[in-house]
Amino acid sequence: MLFLANDHAGFELKTKIIKYLKKQKIDFQDLGAFSNERTDYPKFAKLLAEKVLQDESNKGILICGTGIGMSIVANRFPKIKAGLCKNCKTARLARQHNDINVLVLAGRSTCAIKAKRMVKIFLNTPALEGRYAERRKQID
Ligand code: RB5
């Protein structure tokens, strides 16, 4: 399952990503926040990390203003690999080299078109094996 979570600064971008997911008939679960009313990013990052960790095949998308707060919190969970991506190249490499299971986006500086492209790459790019897998093993 694909989980999505955001704070107030990520709400607008999330609604656009949700439209894209629906159009593509991609199943997802929206964990909130459900409006742009001020809230706190740590609780949403924690909620999403816990959900993603329930099954190895799960993935997540986190969005806050910069993407930094969500990244810091999510990466405190062992087995969560959250990558803040700014463009298609970093999204592709984050999957291929780092095997991220959580894509983090900066709601205040990422346009919807780019975000949708990054989501597509995140969902469809397999991780590379060989030296990349060897390096990933050294993380823990
Ligand atoms: C909220 O103003 C902002 O701090 C938050 O969305 C995020 O960017 C934190 O890292």
Side-chain angles (χ1 to χ4, degrees):
M1 176 57 69
L2 172 67
F3 296 95
L4 281 85
N6 56 282
D7 70 356
H8 53 289
F11 176 72
E12 201 182 312
L13 185 60
K14 181 193 67 182
T15 57
K16 290 171 183 164
I17 291 172
I18 282 180
K19 269 190 196 163
Y20 167 77
L21 294 172
K22 284 183 176 166
K23 210 169 155 190
Q24 299 299 315
K25 300 192 185 335
I26 297 168
D27 267 356
F28 67 90
Q29 223 176 292
D30 182 4
L31 304 174
F34 298 107
S35 79
N36 56 11
E37 200 174 307
R38 195 163 69 201
T39 184
D40 304 318
Y41 63 83
K43 72 174 174 194
F44 291 101
K46 287 178 189 175
L47 184 61
L48 182 132
E50 280 159 8
K51 291 279 187 186
V52 168
L53 290 172
Q54 285 173 4
D55 191 286
E56 251 187 59
S57 66
N58 287 343
K59 283 185 174 178
I61 299 173
L62 282 171
I63 316 169
C64 64
T66 59
I68 294 172
M70 289 294 199
S71 304
I72 292 170
V73 179
N75 279 316
R76 292 203 166 188
F77 289 73
K79 305 288 176 203
I80 289 289
K81 283 183 282 174
L84 171 57
C85 296
K86 292 286 193 176
N87 52 48
C88 294
K89 186 172 182 180
T90 51
R92 185 170 297 107
L93 290 173
R95 279 293 310 137
Q96 290 179 330
H97 291 198
N98 312 112
D99 194 17
I100 59 164
N101 52 8
V102 175
L103 172 69
V104 188
L105 298 173
R108 286 191 171 130
S109 57
T110 310
C111 72
I113 293 174
K114 201 183 262 185
K116 287 174 202 171
R117 286 186 188 142
M118 286 194 272
V119 168
K120 186 177 178 185
I121 290 166
F122 171 61
L123 296 177
N124 294 301
T125 306
L128 294 174
E129 297 305 323
R131 63 180 182 276
Y132 303 102
E134 287 306 314
R135 289 172 188 147
R136 293 195 295 268
K137 276 188 207 152
Q138 296 173 34
I139 295 173
D140 295 315

